[in-house]
Amino acid sequence: IRGKISEILVAPCCQKDIQNSLKPVGDLLVDTIVGQGIIKQRFGDLLTENLRVLVLKNNGYESQIMEFIPSVHTPRNLLIRAYLAQPDPMAGTKLDLIQKVFQVKPYLLKILSKY
């Protein structure tokens, strides 16, 4: 992202960063959405990938998430495809909103802020 490489293909992993930080926030709707057990795990996976796409869009990448292995084999079968374009003017706002509502900070943002 920092090097503005023209295309990115990545099969993400390491969703536990967001999963581990998902905790009751005192908002009935949010707590109901996040849930417990397998619901919390899968929600954390999807939230993580959505945040990653928003970080890419905020940094000037047009991004898509797609399945590349049938879900019958693994629930974590997503591929992020991104190519350099123009920053999405709403991506930063969406990114901030998700972080505020769910009280999370994506690891990718932590890494990018170091440089």
Side-chain angles (χ1 to χ4, degrees):
I1 293 173
R2 286 188 310 272
K4 297 296 182 193
I5 191 164
S6 62
E7 296 180 32
I8 297 173
L9 289 174
V10 62
C13 68
C14 307
Q15 291 89 353
K16 289 196 184 274
D17 181 55
I18 294 294
Q19 287 174 8
N20 291 338
S21 62
L22 286 173
K23 54 188 173 287
V25 295
D27 181 298
L28 183 59
L29 177 61
V30 173
D31 293 344
T32 301
I33 290 170
V34 171
Q36 300 177 30
I38 192 72
I39 301 293
K40 180 180 175 184
Q41 178 188 353
R42 290 186 182 166
F43 180 80
D45 289 351
L46 294 174
L47 183 62
T48 299
E49 304 317 342
N50 191 43
L51 287 165
R52 289 172 175 167
V53 165
L54 288 171
V55 168
L56 284 162
K57 287 183 176 197
N58 195 44
N59 282 277
Y61 285 88
E62 182 60 40
S63 307
Q64 299 172 322
I65 296 180
M66 54 188 27
E67 284 188 329
F68 70 101
I69 296 174
S71 59
V72 70
H73 299 292
T74 177
R76 294 184 174 141
N77 59 351
L78 300 178
L79 175 77
I80 296 177
R81 178 173 63 181
Y83 59 90
L84 200 53
Q86 296 295 318
D88 178 337
M90 289 301 298
T93 301
K94 292 175 182 178
L95 192 55
D96 292 343
L97 179 62
I98 290 172
Q99 289 180 90
K100 181 179 176 186
V101 168
F102 293 102
Q103 298 181 8
V104 295
K105 178 154 181 137
Y107 184 68
L108 184 55
L109 283 179
K110 293 174 190 175
I111 292 172
L112 289 172
S113 69
K114 291 181 181 180
Y115 301 96

